[in-house]
Amino acid sequence: METPADPPRPEEPSSAAPVPGGDRPQDRHPSAQAPDAGYPAHWEADVVLRDGGTARIRPITADDAERLVSFYEQVSDESKYYRFFAPYPKLSAKDVHRFTHHDFVDRVGLAATIGGEFIATVRFDRVDATGRPASAPADEAEVAFLVQDAYQGRGVASALLEHIAAVARERGIRRFGAEVLPHNTKMIKVFTDAGYQQKRSFEDGVVHLTFGLEPTERSLAVQYAREQRAESRSVQRLLAPASVAVVGAKRAGGGVGRSILRNLLAAGYTGRLSAVNSSFPEDQGTLDGVPAFRTVKEIGEDVDLAVVVVPAERVPEAVAECGEHGVRGLVVISAGYGESVTAGRARQRRLVRQARSYGMRLVGPNAFGLVNTDPAVRLNASLAPELAPRGRVGLFTQSGAIGIALLSELHQRGTGLSTFVSAGNRADVSGNDVLQYWYDDPDTDVALMYLESIGNPRKFTRLARRAAATKPLVVVQGARHSAATPPSHAVAETRLPHATVSALLAQAGVIRVETVTDLVDTGVLLAGQPLPEGPRVAILGNSESLGLLTYDACLTEGLRPRTPLDLTTSASPEDFRHALEQALADPDSDAVVVTAIPWVGEGALDWPEGEVLGAALREAVAASESRKPVLVVHVELGGLAHALSAATATLPASAGPHTPGGAVRADVRETGVVRDEGEARAAVREPGAAARVTGGPAPVREPEDPLAEGRPATPRIPAYPAPERAVRALARAVRHAQWRTDTEHPGRVPEFDDIDEHGAAERVAALLDALPAGARGTTPGPEATEDLLRRYGIPVLRALPAPDADSAARAAAELGYPVALKITAPHLRHRPDLGGVRLDLADETDLRRAYADLTALLGSPAELRPVVQSMAPRGVDTVVRAVIDPAAGAVLSFGLAGAPSELLGDTAHRLVPVTDRDAADQVRSLRSAPLLFGWRGAAPVDTDALQELIQRVSRLVDDHPEIVAVSLEPVVVAPRTVRVLGASLRLAHPPAVGGEGPRRMPMY
């Protein structure tokens, strides 16, 4: 109880003003050089605030006394009154000692810091039922906050509540109590909006709140919504800055910084521009017409974005200057970081800590830059020599070379961009952050991503699932094998193979492709055409052979093509138009592929066939009321691709097929890369008068966009040089449309009445408590394994050890004939090719003969570990496994036992918890699934029982994260039942899983 009669319990205060300097040890544990043994370093976290800035949350220690006092002095009298229910202008020495000395068990304090100084504090004190100080097993604590007035309303208290609640749960506290004055509506809102189950009462003029700390569906939804708003805002501040400073722009000789400055000018950037270089002479007034300064602090106005292009050893000084000036975000083009292995990684970590200590987000280092084609911004803070055409595709890459190749290819295909982020080493801003931005960006309809690593797969799949429900997300992943991960991307370790990660991405609605070419092929289709309603494909064209190739490609991709319509080589554009109109009107098709070769016939050279054919096809699409995608496959039809994209909903009306706005230089289009910085400078146009600088002219007026005025625009028809490429893109669109339909009815996680969750928890705890000191985990024996599985309705067919022939005979007599004899030695299990299993042994004679054969063939009983087991019904052998991965979380896998899963990798994966729909899809998604459904006249097996088993395993690992691995093999699925013949578990204290717990920014 915090009343004026009680000594006040202020929250750890902190100052908001940034402190000059570079890397700030005070933003980490103040005693980081020699930490206390009990200091919980894992509670430290960087968080994104509501306005897009960042703060650091860490435990308060005895070293924080001066920071606490400084913080408290900057808090208003009103906030102090709300905190202590009485005027409390100054902290006493006793107060300071109390609020900076914690045992991190029963008394905990956390501070949010920016620039090394406190901006907010929160603390809890464990209490008993009477409200007096207590220790465990008491499971309630009083909590109190204090936020500096300048930072109220920025989401600081909400972030602190998430973290202090997670700390409390870790220490065995299940409820928080708080007393708040009725007029302190901001603090009451923090508690009530958090989504926890709570009780409220009013007594003696004080509101008393009590709320449980177990996450609820609503509290998680609140947390995710706040995370999305904050991270989206942090990226929006980078992509739409009102002012940009290029730090490192050279006065003479060009250089990367000078090129970026010129790129900003040439793009017509609408904000304020500044050039910064410490080597400028004092009388250097401008550079390329842009105000020039020797330091950032000389600019005299706010700077939203700084593009840093200085040698790596000088970057810390530049970052400190930017931080002290209040710059909001950084793009670090400079190299020499994680890509240079050990020393560079350490330098990269220091850079991220330094930027975050000032509340700044960081793109890079080793970044290619940022692009925003919004007419109100026109930002080209990148090495791309021209601003990309305006469009509705968002592009994110982790490679500058791939980035410029994609920009060039998309431009050639007539597809414009909304935004482009090339994150380089991805030390801070990542694909997850950009996904958060695209999710509610009204200017982005399709998202394309080139990833070389996924730092937080669990969070990525969560964000991707939400985004893909409204905007297609196409991903190509480079460096798919762990050995090939770029050294600059120090990502969280995952034990999952690439195929498993790919399956999880597909489950989340991600359209995963194999190559950069596939990325563009799929992207241009999704950007210009509607999603198909089904897999039926109409094919028409003037080449029978091209039509047949398209037909075969459709069958290969699992589509349902109709017989191709051959218009013959003499078909005119009018014939194409008429045929396409009929195909679009046909209710038996969901998509149309048009194939075209050069026209053959009298007068073939009298008209520009590509342009005329393109116009005819666009006319047919425009006249149709059907919402079907149309794709064109053409061979050597000059001008057709441009003609098909001339009237498009993704390009400004003035950007025609031959003179698109922001054209990439011809040699760059061919190679996809700028060979060196000198070439990049040569490709830049002369600086125009578009960028607004001090005393400069008004920005250039954006060309009129027909969509902006509501005028209809014909969708762009994508063109492909080969049928296989067109059909692959179409098949991905079909599967994505089906995924969207399926997610409208996602299924449910069933409740099983026969589950003994409490009993299983007690058994798991007892097994872990019995571990010797230092042990990391345990593999329970058969009895404990079967007991745990039985509590979840998963019986294991009984097997008795048979160390000799007589023991085998006694076991068979107990179980009843017929029986099976099998070996269980780890190096020989699940090897049917070795003959280690003998089935249908009808009597003791058969059993003893089989026992003698096995031991003679494979080794001694002590080596083989034979067991006798009752016979299971005949069926299909399958395997069900689950594992908790530190990066992805709990993953459940299913496949057919033996060669299909082990040799061919035919295994289906789902994230836990698995819904009934997930389980059904998982069983049916195997290439070998026909074996379960009556292949070649065999009896179909009991897939309903199999799906229930999968869901029970999912529930087991979801309820008990200490069960870090489960393996059921073999699971025999018979026509009327399922039998588990072998099972093993692994128990350990659960690993920390990325993407769980309170919001925090990753640190790689």
Side-chain angles (χ1 to χ4, degrees):
M1 304 281 290
E2 305 232 53
T3 67
D6 237 359
R9 301 179 182 178
E11 288 344 297
E12 298 66 319
S14 160
S15 145
V19 175
D23 185 25
R24 300 180 176 279
Q26 61 266 42
D27 276 333
R28 303 186 301 280
H29 174 220
S31 303
Q33 304 305 317
D36 300 330
Y39 180 78
H42 64 289
W43 293 350
E44 296 180 355
D46 293 320
V47 297
V48 184
L49 303 179
R50 182 180 300 161
D51 64 352
T54 67
R56 185 159 185 80
I57 294 176
R58 63 168 177 80
I60 297 173
T61 71
D63 295 335
D64 288 318
E66 291 184 7
R67 295 186 188 92
L68 181 64
V69 172
S70 174
F71 161 76
Y72 195 73
E73 289 173 349
Q74 298 179 62
V75 176
S76 70
D77 291 340
E78 181 183 44
S79 293
K80 292 174 183 175
Y81 185 88
Y82 282 152
R83 173 61 180 84
F84 299 113
F85 303 175
Y88 211 87
K90 186 178 180 180
L91 295 178
S92 67
K94 183 177 180 181
D95 295 332
V96 174
H97 183 274
R98 172 177 171 77
F99 300 142
T100 56
H101 288 71
H102 306 93
D103 60 12
F104 302 124
V105 178
D106 300 322
R107 299 179 60 253
V108 173
L110 301 179
T113 70
I114 293 180
E117 300 300 319
F118 288 7
I119 63 168
T121 61
V122 63
R123 65 175 295 106
F124 74 67
D125 292 84
R126 194 190 301 258
V127 296
D128 60 19
T130 66
R132 297 182 176 276
S135 297
D139 61 357
E140 185 169 342
E142 290 183 346
V143 65
F145 294 75
L146 190 60
V147 180
Q148 195 178 107
D149 296 64
Y151 288 89
Q152 293 178 10
R154 294 179 58 183
V156 180
S158 300
L160 281 173
L161 178 57
E162 289 179 21
H163 283 263
I164 198 72
V167 168
R169 289 193 297 269
E170 182 181 325
R171 296 311 192 208
I173 293 171
R174 296 291 174 258
R175 289 180 304 283
F176 272 164
E179 292 193 341
V180 187
L181 291 175
H183 297 301
N184 192 359
T185 55
K186 291 181 180 179
M187 200 67 248
I188 293 175
K189 184 174 176 60
V190 168
F191 291 126
T192 56
D193 287 355
Y196 296 111
Q197 294 182 348
Q198 60 180 262
K199 297 179 181 179
R200 182 191 298 199
S201 61
F202 183 79
E203 186 178 354
D204 297 330
V206 175
V207 178
H208 184 79
L209 297 168
T210 303
F211 50 96
L213 298 182
E214 286 302 316
T216 65
E217 185 175 343
R218 180 166 177 263
S219 71
L220 289 175
V222 169
Q223 177 180 321
Y224 293 155
R226 287 172 172 167
E227 173 191 66
Q228 190 276 326
R229 285 193 299 269
E231 294 178 358
S232 172
R233 175 61 177 157
S234 73
V235 175
Q236 191 270 340
R237 298 201 318 180
L238 294 166
L239 286 170
S243 55
V244 175
V246 180
V247 181
K250 292 183 179 180
R251 183 167 63 103
V256 177
R258 185 72 171 273
S259 292
I260 289 177
L261 181 66
R262 287 177 169 174
N263 293 346
L264 283 160
L265 285 164
Y269 172 59
T270 61
R272 295 190 310 274
L273 274 177
S274 304
V276 179
N277 195 315
S278 59
S279 65
F280 286 159
E282 293 185 5
D283 60 352
Q284 176 90 36
T286 62
L287 182 67
D288 289 335
V290 173
F293 304 93
R294 291 168 58 84
T295 64
V296 175
K297 64 183 179 182
E298 292 179 6
I299 294 176
E301 296 181 279
D302 291 341
V303 175
D304 290 334
L305 178 68
V307 183
V308 179
V309 195
V310 298
E313 60 271 14
R314 291 183 51 205
V315 169
E317 177 187 353
V319 172
E321 272 191 25
C322 292
E324 290 160 14
H325 189 68
V327 173
R328 290 182 166 189
L330 302 172
V331 177
V332 179
I333 307 294
S334 311
Y337 288 89
E339 71 277 6
S340 56
V341 198
T342 308
R345 282 190 179 181
R347 185 184 297 122
Q348 184 165 294
R349 285 191 292 268
R350 290 195 298 270
L351 171 63
V352 175
R353 285 198 298 265
Q354 184 187 11
R356 290 180 180 174
S357 75
Y358 289 108
M360 296 185 292
R361 295 305 307 267
L362 165 72
V363 177
N366 195 29
F368 188 78
L370 304 175
V371 170
N372 185 353
T373 64
D374 185 343
V377 181
R378 298 188 63 87
L379 177 75
N380 182 15
S382 78
L383 291 169
E386 302 273 355
L387 181 67
R390 176 75 170 153
R392 304 193 63 82
V393 173
L395 177 62
F396 175 88
T397 74
Q398 291 177 355
S399 163
I402 297 297
I404 197 168
L406 286 170
L407 289 174
S408 176
E409 180 66 18
L410 287 168
H411 168 70
Q412 291 185 69
R413 303 283 289 272
T415 300
L417 296 181
S418 59
T419 50
F420 166 59
V421 178
S422 181
N425 293 1
R426 201 216 61 205
D428 179 25
V429 172
S430 68
N432 284 348
D433 296 296
V434 179
L435 263 183
Q436 297 277 40
Y437 171 76
W438 282 334
Y439 171 68
D440 55 9
D441 175 29
D443 295 328
T444 300
D445 291 338
V446 178
L448 307 182
M449 306 185 82
Y450 170 77
L451 305 177
E452 291 176 345
S453 59
I454 301 176
N456 189 335
R458 187 176 182 85
K459 181 177 178 179
F460 183 81
T461 54
R462 171 168 59 84
L463 301 185
R465 176 184 290 275
R466 183 188 60 188
T470 57
K471 301 179 181 184
L473 171 60
V474 191
V475 173
V476 61
Q477 188 174 355
R480 300 171 195 168
H481 307 287
S482 58
T485 300
S488 58
H489 299 177
V491 300
E493 179 183 1
T494 176
R495 294 186 293 265
L496 300 178
H498 174 71
T500 304
V501 175
S502 296
L504 298 180
L505 294 181
Q507 182 188 356
V510 175
I511 304 172
R512 198 189 66 80
V513 298
E514 297 294 333
T515 68
V516 170
T517 300
D518 288 339
L519 183 74
V520 175
D521 284 346
T522 308
V524 297
L525 170 62
L526 296 170
Q529 294 291 309
L531 289 174
E533 295 183 357
R536 302 170 301 174
V537 182
I539 305 169
L540 62 93
N542 62 350
S543 167
E544 181 181 16
S545 298
L546 209 54
L548 291 175
L549 288 173
T550 304
Y551 183 90
D552 290 343
C554 287
L555 292 176
T556 300
E557 293 294 334
L559 302 179
R560 292 164 52 192
R562 301 186 61 191
T563 303
L565 173 62
D566 182 16
L567 302 177
T568 75
T569 55
S570 63
S572 68
E574 180 62 21
D575 295 328
F576 273 92
R577 184 189 64 79
H578 181 67
L580 179 55
E581 287 178 348
Q582 289 186 320
L584 290 172
D586 186 353
D588 293 329
S589 67
D590 302 304
V592 183
V593 178
V594 178
T595 63
I597 61 173
W599 189 51
V600 177
E602 186 178 351
L605 300 179
D606 294 343
W607 43 271
E609 51 189 331
E611 295 181 14
V612 176
L613 177 58
L617 296 177
R618 287 190 287 107
E619 183 181 344
V621 172
S624 173
E625 297 180 357
S626 171
R627 291 281 297 168
K628 297 178 183 179
V630 176
L631 302 81
V632 172
V633 177
H634 69 99
V635 177
E636 297 299 328
L637 269 177
L640 177 59
H642 283 307
L644 291 171
S645 62
T648 169
T650 64
L651 288 176
S654 62
H658 303 297
T659 58
V664 179
R665 209 178 66 215
D667 61 316
V668 177
R669 287 201 303 268
E670 297 211 359
T671 64
V673 293
V674 175
R675 294 186 183 86
D676 56 40
E677 186 52 37
E679 287 196 353
R681 293 196 304 274
V684 180
R685 297 178 298 187
E686 285 300 314
R692 180 165 59 87
V693 298
T694 303
V700 180
R701 184 175 184 272
E702 177 70 11
E704 290 185 351
D705 186 340
L707 295 181
E709 300 181 12
R711 295 195 297 270
T714 304
R716 181 184 52 78
I717 302 175
Y720 300 86
E724 297 80 12
R725 289 173 57 179
V727 171
R728 275 199 303 269
L730 177 60
R732 294 185 186 106
V734 169
R735 289 192 288 269
H736 182 67
Q738 184 61 50
W739 176 86
R740 284 197 184 181
T741 300
D742 293 344
T743 55
E744 294 176 0
H745 307 284
R748 63 181 184 87
V749 177
E751 296 289 338
F752 296 106
D753 295 336
D754 58 345
I755 282 179
D756 180 13
E757 182 178 349
H758 180 71
E762 289 184 338
R763 187 69 190 263
V764 168
L767 290 168
L768 290 176
D769 289 344
L771 285 177
R776 301 182 62 180
T778 181
T779 300
E783 186 276 331
T785 296
E786 292 171 14
D787 176 60
L788 280 171
L789 292 171
R790 190 181 307 113
R791 293 177 187 272
Y792 271 73
I794 307 172
V796 180
L797 200 62
R798 192 179 179 195
L800 299 177
D804 53 52
D806 293 337
S807 299
R810 287 192 296 271
E814 181 178 345
L815 295 173
Y817 289 98
V819 296
L821 177 67
K822 60 183 183 181
I823 56 180
T824 63
H827 65 291
L828 297 174
R829 290 184 71 184
H830 313 308
R831 289 292 306 277
D833 54 308
L834 298 179
V837 178
R838 302 299 168 89
L839 303 176
D840 285 323
L841 304 176
D843 52 33
E844 184 174 341
T845 302
D846 289 347
L847 175 63
R848 289 183 178 276
R849 184 184 302 112
Y851 198 98
D853 289 346
L854 279 180
T855 53
L857 179 65
L858 299 175
S860 67
E863 181 183 4
L864 301 181
R865 304 180 192 177
V867 298
V868 175
Q869 191 172 46
S870 299
M871 281 296 299
R874 297 285 184 178
V876 179
D877 287 0
T878 65
V879 56
V880 177
R881 293 193 178 98
V883 63
I884 294 183
D885 182 81
V891 179
L892 191 145
S893 304
F894 167 75
L896 269 59
S901 58
E902 295 176 13
L903 179 62
L904 303 178
D906 188 16
T907 306
H909 311 275
R910 293 294 185 273
L911 287 173
V912 169
V914 173
T915 68
D916 52 358
R917 187 175 193 118
D918 288 336
D921 291 344
Q922 190 171 16
V923 168
R924 288 159 177 78
S925 64
L926 298 177
R927 298 192 301 277
S928 51
L931 294 173
L932 301 170
F933 294 93
W935 187 62
R936 288 190 172 180
V941 300
D942 192 349
T943 53
D944 289 342
L946 173 62
Q947 290 160 202
E948 180 180 325
L949 172 69
I950 288 172
Q951 291 173 89
R952 287 179 179 273
V953 173
S954 167
R955 176 73 184 273
L956 174 69
V957 296
D958 195 36
D959 289 347
H960 308 285
E962 300 86 357
I963 302 178
V964 297
V966 177
S967 179
L968 307 182
E969 184 179 9
V971 175
V972 177
V973 191
R976 291 187 176 85
T977 188
V978 167
R979 290 286 186 269
V980 179
L981 304 190
S984 64
L985 303 177
R986 177 72 179 170
L987 304 184
H989 295 292
V993 175
E996 294 184 343
R999 288 173 284 164
R1000 63 172 60 221
M1001 301 166 70
M1003 174 62 79
Y1004 304 120

